[in-house]
DNA sequence: GCCTCGTTTAGTAGTTGGTACTAATTCAGT
DNA sequence: ACTGAATTAGTACCAACTACTAAACGAGGC
């Protein structure tokens, strides 16, 4: 039942809402031991939006994240000549780097290359059979990674694709991918 | 300005809300060319909650999704003997498979193996230098993938790790990873 | 003591996006 | 033309606010 001073109360308010954006003014008023009006004044000066707006913002964020996660593709694919060549651009964001570091986790570079290979094969479903990859240089937060892929050969149901990824002019990743053409309804 | 029949309208209603949960009854009423009351009756029979509840439900997913995405690790890592061996378990969910198919996108299997290799190296930051991987069999939605990793040799700043991933007793993925020990503050 | 200014609280009206309900109207099929 | 289902209209109520005015409180200065 402590009464905080204005500054401390506003600091706590901010903290509480950051920790749990689902708190109503009423709940906040009770836990900070002031009236609802005070909470509203505080929110106003701190420019914290109301509960519904906060929830909406969180939900919008989730939507974006989900749509990114549900994509088959990592990176934006450009200039695909089916069964020939293709290019993909991928910009490294916070979610792609190691915690509190700036170096990109390798599997995103692999995923970009792999996605590009899948997209270049003109069949309903192409699966990666094998890959031989090399990480040439660390890639950092904010880097724009451009992957170039070329089909080297196609024998029967297997295509061999060479991928080279660059940040600016420096080679960061190379990979040889063997892609397998899977027919619809095929038994595995 | 078409008026749909009841069944068709309710089908569309469901579809619209699934595609965009942020639609108000008013907006839905306009696009389906009926009154707000009809939309509310429809929602009631279809057991679709109101806008705020829908948004809230979406927002509540945030913690799970975010924590999954912000993790450095794909899969749960068990039994790690540093610089020796390790095991990781990864269950394939909807987000990991190709759209409307059941086959896992290869880069998640790679990511699992790669994450496990990173976790097994007892330095502040281990980077993948190269990998030689093979996808032996397609992995499906719901499959529980167990990856076993063994350090084969360590020479200087490079460790070689062999990873084998299984679904039940069948080998689905093998990979040889070269991991590079990155010292703190090292220039790249 | 009293005065004052900043802070807090109280109270009112209005908003959004609903629920829950009743009653009236429209439409479709016989 | 009638009937039952479907639709629309209308009302009261709710949560969680915004925006505003006004009153009460409280600590420091003279």
């Amino acid at each position: 039942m402590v009464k905080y001073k204005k500054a401390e109360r506003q600091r706590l308010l901010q903290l509480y809402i950051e920790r749990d954006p689902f708190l109503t003014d009423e709940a906040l008023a009770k836990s900070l031991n002031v009236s609802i009006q005070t909470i509203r004044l505080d929110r106003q000066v701190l420019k914290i939006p109301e509960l519904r707006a906060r929830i909406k913002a969180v939900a919008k964020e989730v939507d974006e994240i989900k749509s990114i996660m549900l994509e088959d593709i990592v990176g934006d694919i450009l200039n695909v000549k089916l069964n020939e060549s293709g290019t993909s651009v991928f910009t490294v964001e916070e979610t792609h780097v190691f915690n509190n570091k700036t170096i990109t986790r390798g599997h995103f570079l692999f995923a970009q290359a792999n996605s590009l290979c899948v997209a270049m094969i003109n069949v309903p479903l192409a699966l990666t059979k094998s890959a031989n990859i090399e990480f040439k240089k660390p890639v950092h937060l904010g880097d724009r990674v451009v992957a170039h892929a070329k089909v080297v050969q196609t024998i029967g149901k297997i295509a061999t694709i060479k991928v080279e990824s660059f940040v600016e002019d420096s080679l960061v990743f190379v990979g040889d991918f063997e892609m397998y053409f899977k027919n619809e309804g095929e038994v595995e």
Side-chain angles (χ1 to χ4, degrees), chain A residues 110-180:
Chain A
F110 174 81
Q112 178 190 20
N114 192 46
S115 299
L116 179 56
C117 289
V118 171
M120 275 169 57
I121 303 299
N122 187 23
V123 290
L125 186 56
L127 298 178
T128 310
K129 185 175 175 293
S130 71
N132 207 316
I133 60 181
E134 206 167 326
F135 296 90
K136 295 288 192 182
K137 278 189 186 179
V139 173
H140 298 88
L141 185 58
D143 282 354
R144 197 177 123 94
V145 185
V146 180
H148 296 288
K150 263 211 170 71
V151 174
V152 177
Q153 61 172 194
T154 310
I155 298 172
K157 285 183 164 188
I158 307 274
T160 309
I161 304 181
K162 184 174 268 307
V163 181
E164 292 182 321
S165 301
F166 297 86
V167 171
E168 283 168 14
D169 287 331
S170 119
L171 185 67
V172 297
F173 172 92
V174 289
D176 290 304
F177 289 77
E178 273 190 324
M179 305 301 293
Y180 173 73

Side-chain angles (χ1 to χ4, degrees), chain A residues 90-106:
Chain A
F90 165 60
T91 302
V92 178
E93 284 159 33
E94 281 82 2
T95 51
H96 306 122
V97 298
F98 286 100
N99 275 347
N100 307 317
K101 316 262 169 170
T102 70
I103 295 181
T104 309
R105 284 176 267 165

Side-chain angles (χ1 to χ4, degrees), chain A residues 61-79:
Chain A
E61 207 183 323
V62 174
D63 256 25
E64 285 166 42
I65 292 172
K66 262 195 165 176
S67 71
I68 288 167
M69 285 198 72
L70 290 170
E71 270 171 31
D72 277 352
I73 290 156
V74 173
D76 296 316
I77 291 181
L78 324 163
N79 315 325

